[in-house]
Amino acid sequence: MSVSNMSIISIKSDIKNRARLKSEIFNRSSNIELIKKELSSYIVDFRENISCSSIIIIYKDTQLSEIITKIQSLFHTTIKQSTAAADSICGVNSNCSNCSIKTDSNPLSFKRKLIEFGLLTGYSVYLFAVKNILGVTVLASPLSVMALVSVVAAIPLFKESYEDIKNGEFSLQTFMSGTLILAILFGEAMAAFEIIYILRGGMLLEEYVATKSKNQIKNLIELDVQNAYVLVDDVEVQVPLEEVSVGDVVVCRSGDKLPVDGLIVDGSGHIDESLINGRSESIYKEKESDVFAGTLCESGRVYIKVTAVGEDRYISKVMQDVEKSLALKSPSQIEADLLAKKLLRLGSILTLGTLALTGSFINAFSVMIIMSCPCSTILAASTAISAGIANGAKLGILIKGGESLEKVSQSEVFCFDKTGTLTTGKPIIKDIVTAKGVDKNSLMEYLAIAEYRNTHPIALSIQEKAKELKIEASQTAKTEVIPGYGVKSVYGEHTIVAGNKKLLEKESITTERFEDQVFHHLNEAKTIVYVCVNEKLLGYITLEHEVRAGTSKMISDLRKKGVKHIALITGDEEKVAQSFANNLGFDTVYANQSPHDKANAIEELKKQYKNVVMVGDGVNDTLAMSKADVAISFASGGSEMAIEVSDIAVTHSHPEDVVNLYNLSKKSLEVVNQNYWIGTSTNLIGAAFASIGLLSPAAAGAIHIGHTTSIMANSSRLAIDNNS
Ligand code: ADP
Ligand code: MG
């Protein structure tokens, strides 16, 4: 059929009935349609990423081998089982043949297209000069040089339409090739040249915008580490990253980007983990701490026992997640595809109609030329959305897919988690209050034991305070983290319970004896963490949270933009939450929320409003985030889950980035709409003029150049703008 016998299908992954396949046969929509039809009875979900030549299928009642055999018989291809760690984001991965053509790693193809386009531009300048300056008539007959140049320039287009015709499909390419050939045959080589000139220019521009956005995302999450230093018999040996395996000990020094996930077995250093959890301040890590690939060793030296390499690394999983989401079309892209199909049909009808009504071939041609690029409507959405995603990446906002980008500015409710999201990474311990006969240091020691290796903001402050007080906390306790409540830890004969009032109620421990003092502290909006050992309340500590700079402005800005409802959803106590919310201007406060309560609050709001955004740090809000229409991770609690479950990750955790994101979303949609307007209106008005003979084929071609380039230029404005 439409593919040569040499095509190869690589199985990139096949886990639990979900397979990702890659092949050059997947880079044509007509082939995808055929496959979909053939496999319809086995496929639960089918997603294609044509520009990446890959498909993701979720299948049932069959084996992958059977599915592949079916595709094989459709296209007569050979199959190659690939084990390469190629599951990565399109345009980032050098193993992806399509991507490597499009990105810097192999700029030849783009360069070649640019040169070819340059030659065509030179030729059109020459034509213009000859015609308008010298006043010489340029031959436009079927056998003229112009006709020849047009045909040569259109070879790639002819090839594509030949494939489509063989498949019995009437595609855009077929329509355009038909227009070109007819124009040449009827002595309108000038119009033919114009069509192909715009087409080549448009393709080039689209590639430029797409490459730019992919590179931006690539820069944001790329692990540009090629080599690692592995400890062999106490000597550091440099080896290529592929040769590092689980169990090896890798050495990283200040300035190094960590190449693997692992556990520090020796040494210590300050690690900047902003890439994976958004914390702006680096964390001091020593023996027994987990570290992740892609984070930066700012100072010190760490010896890391490798726990994950290649695709198993946390950041690689995030990339796969991003890739999956980017492969999905956004609502406006889906709309654009439909519109393009309608315009193609309309174009054919108008062309034939004009011919039938006016009997003029020239008029029909002009209509055909004007209508021959409904692709401009497809470009209208796709270029704007990918440019928007690229601009997000530049601001440190990782947007996984166009749908989320579009939804942000269509949301009526924004919900925010408090601790770790709107407050900075580390609260400040203000008071240590103990029961009679209990020493403050021993209370802190129990706390430090229970919070050992916990990454919750409160736990981090406790660890720091313990260090300040020179308390060496034991590391042997068995601890259970109870999200939204606190921790429960068994240390020898001691059971330590540390957390909020709700946790103590759950454990049936009364807080009565401290009631008056606590009341006073709560009025000061301090968070209380109670400490109990063997069901006896030893005392509590109070913490003051530092609100992230710009939070109040973010809330008022969102309101000005038209967000209807802004809610605070927190696990902290009513009083603390209320005072926090009143100072910052929230509409509602949900306090004392467990992870389930948070999710319920989102469900409630979803019933009343259109689109609900949840901004959280993923510590106890992953469930709520998964219920929201758009989940934004704004991490600082150290939760690696946050970026994974979110649709959008704000890596710098700046509140103003939420407003930037909102603006970006709004602007992307505006550009999509402007583009539609440019595309459709010029098409239709032009076709009307052409049908009554007011536009020559050459003028129709010129209009076409105008509208396609304006769409491209309008979209690339989004990628170039630094802020919106
Ligand atoms: P938020 O919902 O504002 O992000 P969290 O759900 O992270 O807050 O925490 C809610 C409350 O649970 C905290 O105010 C604190 O009282 C208690 N808590 C949570 N984690 C811990 C911990 N590791 N140690 C002690 N208390 C904790
Ligand atoms: Mg939180």
Side-chain angles (χ1 to χ4, degrees):
M1 284 186 116
S2 63
V3 195
S4 75
N5 294 345
M6 294 304 290
S7 300
I8 288 170
I9 300 176
S10 317
I11 304 164
K12 292 296 176 191
S13 67
D14 179 28
I15 311 159
K16 289 189 188 145
N17 286 17
R18 180 187 176 280
R20 197 167 92 89
L21 308 176
K22 203 171 173 82
S23 167
E24 62 173 21
I25 55 179
F26 305 140
N27 64 11
R28 301 181 49 75
S29 51
S30 52
N31 292 348
I32 297 283
E33 288 310 317
L34 273 178
I35 297 168
K36 273 188 189 165
K37 220 182 269 172
E38 176 72 18
L39 299 177
S40 60
S41 52
Y42 307 109
I43 299 291
V44 182
D45 191 17
F46 192 110
R47 290 179 224 158
E48 69 265 41
N49 186 349
I50 292 184
S51 61
C52 228
S53 307
S54 73
I55 59 171
I56 295 170
I57 47 173
I58 298 177
Y59 55 91
K60 58 163 197 225
D61 306 332
T62 185
Q63 301 288 323
L64 183 63
S65 55
E66 211 177 314
I67 288 185
I68 297 212
T69 314
K70 286 214 148 61
I71 301 179
Q72 189 178 28
S73 61
L74 263 180
F75 299 106
H76 312 292
T77 61
T78 50
I79 295 172
K80 186 181 149 212
Q81 178 104 23
S82 164
T83 49
D87 255 349
S88 178
I89 170 173
C90 182
V92 171
N93 186 357
S94 53
N95 294 332
C96 164
S97 59
N98 210 315
C99 295
S100 51
I101 293 168
K102 289 188 176 181
T103 47
D104 305 355
S105 54
N106 183 4
L108 237 186
S109 148
F110 186 74
K111 221 175 178 176
R112 195 177 139 181
K113 283 182 200 158
L114 200 64
I115 292 171
E116 286 177 3
F117 186 68
L119 289 175
L120 288 179
T121 308
Y123 184 64
S124 52
V125 170
Y126 161 79
L127 286 180
F128 181 83
V130 168
K131 199 173 159 199
N132 295 311
I133 300 173
L134 303 179
V136 179
T137 319
V138 188
L139 270 187
S141 67
L143 293 176
S144 62
V145 176
M146 208 192 311
L148 185 71
V149 172
S150 309
V151 170
V152 172
I155 287 174
L157 176 72
F158 290 151
K159 273 189 186 159
E160 277 187 50
S161 23
Y162 175 67
E163 295 293 345
D164 290 338
I165 293 167
K166 271 206 308 190
N167 284 333
E169 193 191 331
F170 179 67
S171 67
L172 186 61
Q173 283 74 14
T174 330
F175 187 71
M176 284 196 285
S177 302
T179 318
L180 270 175
I181 293 168
L182 285 176
I184 291 172
L185 289 180
F186 282 90
E188 289 288 348
M190 187 63 165
F193 177 73
E194 279 174 356
I195 296 174
I196 196 66
Y197 182 70
I198 318 150
L199 194 78
R200 300 287 302 246
M203 273 160 47
L204 211 59
L205 245 162
E206 190 190 21
E207 197 166 318
Y208 171 75
V209 173
T211 310
K212 213 174 143 76
S213 41
K214 281 170 187 166
N215 282 345
Q216 298 280 4
I217 297 168
K218 176 181 159 186
N219 290 340
L220 189 68
I221 53 177
E222 189 187 39
L223 297 171
D224 48 3
V225 192
Q226 312 293 341
N227 296 305
Y229 287 92
V230 173
L231 206 60
V232 183
D233 297 331
D234 281 340
V235 180
E236 293 175 26
V237 184
Q238 189 181 17
V239 295
L241 194 53
E242 308 86 73
E243 288 173 22
V244 178
S245 39
V246 172
D248 286 350
V249 174
V250 167
V251 190
C252 290
R253 294 152 196 274
S254 53
D256 288 350
K257 219 175 204 184
L258 273 50
V260 290
D261 290 359
L263 187 74
I264 300 181
V265 285
D266 203 1
S268 64
H270 278 92
I271 312 286
D272 171 0
E273 297 197 318
S274 55
L275 178 80
I276 59 162
N277 64 24
R279 289 177 60 127
S280 45
E281 63 277 9
S282 59
I283 312 164
Y284 178 74
K285 291 204 165 187
E286 50 194 351
K287 231 172 145 172
E288 299 285 308
S289 302
D290 289 316
V291 285
F292 300 92
T295 60
L296 184 76
C297 178
E298 269 187 359
S299 63
R301 176 166 49 175
V302 285
Y303 294 79
I304 304 161
K305 185 156 189 189
V306 181
T307 53
V309 290
E311 260 188 283
D312 296 330
R313 293 174 301 179
Y314 171 72
I315 194 70
S316 308
K317 288 188 179 148
V318 171
M319 285 187 194
Q320 287 161 28
D321 208 37
V322 172
E323 187 211 12
K324 264 188 270 163
S325 327
L326 285 180
L328 301 176
K329 281 190 174 158
S330 75
S332 70
Q333 279 172 286
I334 294 168
E335 220 173 275
D337 284 357
L338 288 175
L339 187 63
K341 272 188 190 145
K342 280 186 199 153
L343 282 178
L344 179 61
R345 237 175 285 148
L346 186 68
S348 317
I349 295 168
L350 286 182
T351 306
L352 292 176
T354 305
L355 189 62
L357 289 177
T358 63
S360 157
F361 272 108
I362 293 291
N363 289 6
F365 263 154
S366 304
V367 172
M368 198 171 181
I369 290 164
I370 280 274
M371 298 294 293
S372 72
C373 201
C375 57
S376 61
T377 49
I378 298 175
L379 297 179
S382 65
T383 53
I385 296 302
S386 53
I389 292 176
N391 202 2
K394 205 159 49 182
L395 295 169
I397 304 171
L398 181 62
I399 305 165
K400 305 187 202 163
E403 182 167 5
S404 323
L405 175 64
E406 289 184 14
K407 269 190 188 166
V408 170
S409 62
Q410 294 168 335
S411 296
E412 294 182 338
V413 183
F414 273 65
C415 302
F416 292 89
D417 162 61
K418 181 178 78 80
T419 319
T421 303
L422 294 182
T423 62
T424 53
K426 262 184 222 160
I428 303 150
I429 297 180
K430 284 286 176 185
D431 313 272
I432 305 172
V433 181
T434 54
K436 248 197 197 127
V438 180
D439 173 43
K440 283 188 183 175
N441 270 28
S442 69
L443 179 114
M444 280 309 295
E445 188 175 349
Y446 282 122
L447 256 181
I449 290 169
E451 302 280 14
Y452 175 68
R453 280 187 75 180
N454 191 332
T455 51
H456 191 280
I458 292 179
L460 292 176
S461 300
I462 291 169
Q463 289 155 21
E464 201 173 89
K465 187 79 183 176
K467 202 174 255 173
E468 230 178 83
L469 298 172
K470 305 220 162 28
I471 294 171
E472 279 275 340
S474 159
Q475 305 169 358
T476 53
K478 288 198 177 72
T479 302
E480 180 196 356
V481 175
I482 311 158
Y485 293 88
V487 289
K488 196 171 170 182
S489 183
V490 178
Y491 166 58
E493 276 126 47
H494 310 276
T495 299
I496 310 166
V497 172
N500 53 16
K501 195 171 172 186
K502 270 174 85 178
L503 178 63
L504 269 70
E505 279 164 7
K506 253 169 83 158
E507 298 288 325
S508 315
I509 304 171
T510 167
T511 56
E512 231 168 60
R513 65 201 283 191
F514 290 115
E515 217 157 58
D516 292 345
Q517 280 156 286
V518 165
F519 181 77
H520 169 70
H521 284 133
L522 284 176
N523 276 341
E524 293 171 340
K526 288 176 184 162
T527 299
I528 312 283
V529 173
Y530 295 96
V531 189
C532 313
V533 176
N534 294 341
E535 297 179 8
K536 216 175 119 206
L537 181 58
L538 298 191
Y540 65 90
I541 61 165
T542 70
L543 301 113
E544 220 168 62
H545 295 275
E546 192 189 341
V547 184
R548 281 189 201 278
T551 302
S552 165
K553 185 169 186 312
M554 166 192 73
I555 291 171
S556 64
D557 281 354
L558 284 178
R559 212 183 290 287
K560 273 186 223 148
K561 305 263 165 215
V563 174
K564 286 193 179 152
H565 195 88
I566 303 174
L568 181 71
I569 306 186
T570 174
D572 212 339
E573 299 212 27
E574 186 81 41
K575 267 204 168 134
V576 183
Q578 274 296 352
S579 116
F580 185 89
N582 291 345
N583 289 337
L584 294 167
F586 282 90
D587 293 310
T588 18
V589 182
Y590 296 81
N592 282 318
Q593 301 279 297
S594 71
H596 267 97
D597 297 336
K598 286 191 176 192
N600 289 340
I602 298 284
E603 296 276 22
E604 270 311 302
L605 288 165
K606 271 172 82 172
K607 279 184 205 152
Q608 299 167 44
Y609 296 96
K610 185 184 159 207
N611 289 356
V612 173
V613 175
M614 172 72 202
V615 188
D617 63 355
V619 172
N620 66 340
D621 26 44
T622 36
L623 194 61
M625 283 163 86
S626 69
K627 298 279 180 209
D629 294 293
V630 184
I632 300 179
S633 71
F634 208 82
S636 105
S639 161
E640 293 82 44
M641 280 303 287
I643 293 181
E644 214 160 284
V645 299
S646 61
D647 303 308
I648 297 172
V650 174
T651 56
H652 302 315
S653 298
H654 295 154
E656 74 209 35
D657 279 347
V658 178
V659 183
N660 288 337
L661 174 65
Y662 189 95
N663 289 340
L664 191 62
S665 164
K666 197 155 193 160
K667 190 148 184 192
S668 304
L669 285 172
E670 269 167 27
V671 170
V672 170
N673 280 332
Q674 288 162 0
N675 285 354
Y676 274 153
W677 193 85
I678 299 172
T680 326
S681 65
T682 33
N683 262 352
L684 295 179
I685 297 172
F689 279 104
S691 64
I692 49 171
L694 288 180
L695 272 186
S696 68
I703 287 178
H704 210 146
I705 296 186
H707 88 219
T708 314
T709 35
S710 346
I711 284 173
M712 294 297 190
N714 200 27
S715 292
S716 51
R717 202 164 56 93
L718 260 179
I720 295 158
D721 271 6
N722 206 13
N723 203 345
S724 28

